[in-house]
């Protein structure tokens, strides 16, 4: 589903975001990407969304080498990837319903289908009764649910979550993680970048640790805290 | 793009105007101010040109004819004149017509007595296509004046100074008495005629006099050229300033919604999908901004026009261009400029934000 082959990203100011990294993520996988701030986690996410171009190497998503995509083809790549962010990024002037429907309008979906699918997805994320509320009337957890609903409304094969629980209290964070797991169970490939040690430890999924732009460690069913041990082993 | 997508764009564009009400109001006001100035300068330019044309069309060249040419001579002269490329109009005025005109001007029956012994000369009035050509054209006419003289007197002209011996063959011996020019430095054309040929005092019998107002023409040509340069520069500067101000204003409205643009990019909206609502917003703002000054200027112009036309002295000098003639052109232009400014402003303002 996602293949990174020898990807290097050097920014214009000389900072190295990614150093000769090769990483494969299969269809239907659930992957945590962990690492300290500035480790290259966000470069990884931005490369997948083609927000930044790799300096060298190939990035293949769903069989397409995205480094070869033209600018006008980028929107069609992004329709295959649902994204959520730490800060939710909802439109404050739109209601919950409109925020989700917006993602469908943008890709010119038939209004009938919008009217059918949006309530379904809102019910799934547990916000069926808050369709007409505005984001500022919602709690952080609820806002992230709206963001998740928006990310998956167009049924993308991949869900990218950048620190999705970073702004939430532990209990709410778990609720969000459970929701993401449910999305995963429906067949979506999930990639989450996070700092949340307890969540990573507890979920026992594949954990990719990035440090200084390289994959330091890649363990199936691992935990966040394994990082320290492995660092000792490696050096 | 599907029809419902266009509906969506228009919807979004218009609701965007109301969502950022204050900013839209500011943009509209600025467009109005700029278009107002543009219309004003267009009105002034058009009218100055219009008045110039009226004055220019009054300026003609009159050829006064002597007694000697026969009507056949005159007819062939008129044909020659009509065939000259610079000439737009040739009018022959017979002695009788000249008398009638004089009677009109002086408004008296006294001139009736002159009917049988009319002292007024026949004349030909010429109008030029462009008064800028007048200076050169007069030179041509002076040439023609000599040619006509030869024709009616049946004599030949010497093309080169008389010191050239070859010329002496074409000059009848009896008529060369005073025609010899001694210095080869003189390049003035010499004519064989017993009446002091090539002399400034020579009295023509064909075209007696070429009457024209070179001083006035020169002044008009200068004013006309200067005014055109000034007005074009003024409009260019104004347009650039307007686009600059509007771009900045729209940039602010776009900045307010950069999050929205950002999110649209993440959910896979194409660049044009993102642009259109903003472009429509810009076009509507530009259009509304242009309508207001169009109405004000039209009403104002009609008022000024009626004042001008009621003023006896002004009316006799020149006329303003009628409001209908001027605004059927200016209003579509200004609406177009308004929409264009709005669209250009929008496109250039969102360009930066699309690079995500």
């Amino acid at each position: 589903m996602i293949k990174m082959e020898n990807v290097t990203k050097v920014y214009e100011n000389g900072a190295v975001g990614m150093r000769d990294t090769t990483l494969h993520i299969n269809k239907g996988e659930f992957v945590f990407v962990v690492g300290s701030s500035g480790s290259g986690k966000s470069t990884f996410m931005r490369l997948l969304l083609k927000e930044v171009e790799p300096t060298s190497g190939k990035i293949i998503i769903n069989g397409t080498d995205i480094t070869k995509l033209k600018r006008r083809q980028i929107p069609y790549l992004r329709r295959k990837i649902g994204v959520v962010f730490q800060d939710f990024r909802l439109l404050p002037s739109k209601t919950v319903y409109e925020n989700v429907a917006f993602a469908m309008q943008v890709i010119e979906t038939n209004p009938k289908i919008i009217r059918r699918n949006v309530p379904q997805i809102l019910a799934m994320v547990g916000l069926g009764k808050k369709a007409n509320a505005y984001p500022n009337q919602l709690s952080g957890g609820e806002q992230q649910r709206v963001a998740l609903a928006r990310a998956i409304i167009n049924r993308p094969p991949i869900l990218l979550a950048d620190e999705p629980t970073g702004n939430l209290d532990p209990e709410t964070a778990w609720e969000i993680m459970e929701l993401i797991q449910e999305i995963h169970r429906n067949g979506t490939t999930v990639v989450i970048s996070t700092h949340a040690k307890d969540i990573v430890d507890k979920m026992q999924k594949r954990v990719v640790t990035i440090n200084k732009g390289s994959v330091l460690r890649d363990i199936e069913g691992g935990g966040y805290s394994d990082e320290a041990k492995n660092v000792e082993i490696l050096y | 793009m599907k029809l419902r997508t266009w509906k969506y764009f228009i919807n979004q564009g218009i609701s965007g105007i109301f969502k950022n009400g204050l900013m839209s109001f500011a943009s509209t006001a600025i467009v109005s101010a700029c278009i107002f100035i543009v219309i004003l300068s267009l009105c002034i330019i058009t009218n100055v040109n219009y008045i110039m044309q009226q004055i220019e069309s009054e300026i003609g060249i009159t050829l006064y004819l002597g007694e000697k040419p026969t009507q056949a001579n005159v007819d062939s002269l008129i044909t020659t004149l009509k065939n000259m490329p610079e000439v737009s109009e040739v009018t022959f005025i017979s002695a009788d017509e000249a008398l009638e005109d004089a009677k009109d001007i002086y408004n008296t029956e006294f001139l009736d007595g002159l009917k049988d012994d009319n002292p007024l000369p026949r004349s030909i009035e010429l109008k030029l296509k462009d008064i800028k050509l007048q200076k050169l054209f007069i030179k041509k006419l002076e040439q023609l004046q000599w040619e006509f003289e030869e024709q009616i007197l049946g004599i030949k002209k010497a093309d080169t100074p008389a010191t050239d011996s070859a010329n002496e063959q074409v000059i009848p011996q009896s008529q060369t008495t005073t025609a010899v020019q001694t210095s080869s430095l003189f390049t003035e054309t010499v004519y064989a005629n017993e009446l002091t040929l090539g002399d400034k005092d020579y009295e023509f019998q064909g075209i007696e006099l070429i009457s024209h107002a070179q001083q006035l023409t020169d002044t008009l040509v200068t004013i006309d050229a200067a005014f055109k340069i000034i007005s074009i520069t003024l409009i260019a500067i104004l347009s650039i300033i307007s686009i600059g101000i509007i771009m900045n204003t729209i940039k602010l409205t776009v900045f307010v919604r950069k999050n929205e643009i950002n999110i649209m990019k993440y959910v896979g909206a194409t660049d044009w999908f993102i642009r259109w609502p903003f472009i429509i917003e810009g076009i509507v703002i530009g259009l509304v901004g242009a309508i207001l000054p169009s109405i004000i200027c039209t009403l104002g112009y009609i008022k000024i026009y009626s004042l001008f036309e009621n003023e006896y002295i002004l009316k006799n000098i020149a006329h303003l261009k009628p409001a209908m003639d001027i605004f059927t052109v200016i209003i579509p232009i200004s609406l177009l400029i308004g929409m264009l400014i709005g669209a250009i402003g929008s496109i250039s303002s969102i360009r930066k934000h699309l690079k995500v």
Side-chain angles (χ1 to χ4, degrees), chain B residues 150 153-159 170-172 175 190-193 197:
Chain B
E150 287 166 17
L153 296 177
I155 49 169
K156 293 272 182 187
K157 145 190 145 177
D159 288 326
V170 290
I171 301 166
Q175 295 183 335
V190 175
Y191 292 86
N193 188 314
L197 304 168

Side-chain angles (χ1 to χ4, degrees), chain A:
Chain A
M1 179 63 49
I2 300 171
K3 282 185 189 170
M4 274 193 161
E5 309 270 4
N6 306 101
V7 172
T8 297
K9 171 66 190 175
V10 183
Y11 288 99
E12 275 169 28
N13 62 10
V16 179
M18 195 112 279
R19 198 190 304 269
D20 196 26
T21 297
T22 298
L23 183 70
H24 292 197
I25 294 170
N26 294 323
K27 190 166 187 278
E29 266 197 284
F30 193 117
V31 183
F32 283 113
V33 179
V34 301
S36 53
S37 302
S39 60
K41 263 186 316 184
S42 53
T43 300
F44 175 72
M45 295 299 222
R46 295 177 74 193
L47 281 167
L48 293 184
L49 287 168
K50 206 172 158 71
E51 260 186 70
V52 291
E53 294 293 323
T55 313
S56 64
K58 273 201 269 187
I59 301 169
I60 295 157
I61 291 178
N62 234 351
T64 313
D65 184 354
I66 66 163
T67 59
K68 294 207 173 87
L69 288 184
K70 293 192 179 78
R71 197 181 130 72
R72 60 183 165 76
Q73 293 172 313
I74 298 175
Y76 303 96
L77 163 72
R78 293 191 179 155
R79 291 174 193 187
K80 295 199 183 91
I81 305 172
V83 216
V84 287
F85 301 94
Q86 184 173 4
D87 56 357
F88 322 131
R89 302 203 188 166
L90 300 177
L91 294 171
S93 59
K94 290 189 192 308
T95 63
V96 167
Y97 180 94
E98 287 166 347
N99 262 287
V100 177
F102 182 60
M104 297 186 93
Q105 283 167 344
V106 154
I107 61 168
E108 299 183 60
T109 313
N110 189 320
K112 268 187 200 157
I113 296 171
I114 296 178
R115 281 195 294 272
R116 196 191 66 203
N117 289 7
V118 176
Q120 275 178 10
I121 214 96
L122 285 177
M124 182 198 153
V125 300
L127 288 172
K129 287 181 179 149
K130 300 224 167 169
N132 293 320
Y134 285 90
N136 62 6
Q137 298 168 317
L138 302 177
S139 70
E142 287 170 327
Q143 290 190 44
Q144 195 61 296
R145 285 166 188 270
V146 180
L148 273 168
R150 183 181 64 196
I152 60 167
I153 184 82
N154 293 321
R155 305 182 192 282
I158 299 166
L159 176 67
L160 276 189
D162 192 4
E163 306 268 2
T165 58
N167 279 356
L168 305 173
D169 60 72
E171 204 176 316
T172 317
W174 270 113
E175 288 169 19
I176 293 298
M177 289 314 294
E178 274 159 22
L179 186 55
I180 293 176
Q181 268 193 293
E182 197 185 329
I183 294 164
H184 174 241
R185 274 196 293 275
N186 289 336
T188 311
T189 307
V190 176
V191 180
I192 303 175
S193 91
T194 186
H195 276 122
K197 185 175 170 297
D198 53 330
I199 289 175
V200 176
D201 285 346
K202 205 164 176 180
M203 287 180 71
Q204 293 292 304
K205 300 286 187 187
R206 181 179 170 191
V207 180
V208 175
T209 309
I210 294 179
N211 187 37
K212 290 177 185 161
S214 308
V215 175
L216 186 64
R217 189 177 79 90
D218 185 350
I219 285 180
E220 196 67 47
Y224 196 102
S225 46
D226 295 343
E227 187 185 350
K229 274 188 279 174
N230 275 281
V231 170
E232 282 165 27
I233 294 161
L234 280 165
Y235 295 100

Side-chain angles (χ1 to χ4, degrees), chain B residues 18-310:
Chain B
F18 292 103
K19 269 183 196 158
N20 304 282
L22 199 65
M23 205 63 88
S24 310
F25 180 75
S27 309
T28 314
I30 290 164
V31 176
S32 286
C34 292
I35 299 275
F36 184 79
I37 298 170
V38 168
I39 295 182
L40 214 63
S41 30
L42 280 176
C43 280
I44 294 170
I45 291 163
T46 326
N47 270 301
V48 170
N49 274 330
Y50 188 67
I51 290 169
M52 287 294 235
Q53 270 171 23
Q54 291 170 53
I55 296 172
E56 282 173 12
S57 73
E58 294 302 314
I59 297 176
I61 300 166
T62 310
L63 309 181
Y64 291 101
L65 304 176
E67 298 280 335
K68 186 114 185 170
T70 61
Q71 193 56 42
N73 290 146
V74 173
D75 287 344
S76 86
L77 178 64
I78 288 171
T79 313
T80 313
L81 289 167
K82 274 182 176 161
N83 287 335
M84 292 171 95
E86 299 92 339
V87 176
S88 69
E89 211 179 304
V90 180
T91 319
F92 174 73
I93 294 158
S94 67
D96 289 345
E97 281 163 346
L99 189 66
E100 286 299 314
D101 285 349
K103 264 165 43 186
D104 278 351
I105 292 167
Y106 300 109
N107 198 17
T108 168
E109 299 295 309
F110 165 74
L111 292 166
D112 276 345
L114 295 171
K115 219 167 200 170
D116 297 327
D117 187 20
N118 190 346
L120 294 173
R122 293 171 294 171
S123 63
I124 299 171
E125 275 183 10
L126 298 178
K127 295 257 165 79
L128 296 188
K129 284 173 186 154
D130 185 347
I131 58 160
K132 286 200 240 0
L133 302 172
Q134 183 168 300
K135 211 164 203 164
L136 280 174
F137 184 73
I138 292 296
K139 290 233 161 67
K140 266 178 131 177
L141 273 185
E142 280 164 0
Q143 183 78 23
L144 186 73
Q145 191 177 20
W146 284 111
E147 283 164 14
F148 190 60
E149 202 68 8
E150 287 166 17
Q151 192 190 333
I152 57 163
L153 296 177
I155 49 169
K156 293 272 182 187
K157 145 190 145 177
D159 288 326
T160 44
T163 43
D164 186 343
S165 59
N167 272 317
E168 285 168 19
Q169 294 168 350
V170 290
I171 301 166
Q173 287 294 319
S174 62
Q175 295 183 335
T176 55
T177 46
T178 55
V180 182
Q181 255 180 298
T182 46
S183 167
S184 60
L185 288 172
F186 285 95
T187 53
E188 226 171 275
T189 320
V190 175
Y191 292 86
N193 188 314
E194 65 267 24
L195 293 163
T196 339
L197 304 168
D199 196 327
K200 291 212 161 52
D201 293 333
Y202 176 81
E203 283 185 24
F204 287 96
Q205 297 177 49
I207 300 169
E208 283 186 339
L209 185 67
I210 300 172
S211 158
H212 65 101
Q214 193 58 46
Q215 189 78 45
L216 177 62
T217 316
D218 285 349
T219 315
L220 278 177
V221 168
T222 316
I223 293 173
D224 205 31
F227 193 78
K228 268 178 188 146
I229 293 167
I230 292 169
S231 55
I232 288 168
T233 319
L234 198 74
I235 285 194
I237 292 171
L238 271 173
S239 309
I240 293 167
I241 293 174
S242 326
I243 290 179
I245 295 172
I246 286 148
M247 256 175 64
N248 270 311
T249 326
I250 293 177
K251 244 178 207 159
L252 282 170
T253 69
V254 171
F255 186 75
V256 171
R257 280 183 285 170
K258 71 174 195 305
N259 283 337
E260 194 172 331
I261 295 175
N262 206 284
I263 291 164
M264 286 170 100
K265 293 290 293 188
Y266 279 120
V267 295
T270 58
D271 286 354
W272 278 107
F273 190 93
I274 297 170
R275 265 184 216 125
W276 271 113
F278 286 104
I279 294 172
I280 289 169
E281 189 177 327
I283 288 174
V284 172
I285 286 175
L287 193 64
V288 173
I291 288 171
L292 199 72
S294 298
I295 294 171
I296 293 173
C297 288
T298 312
L299 295 178
Y301 190 87
I302 291 170
K303 184 79 192 156
I304 290 170
Y305 183 80
S306 73
L307 285 176
F308 197 93
E309 292 301 307
N310 285 328

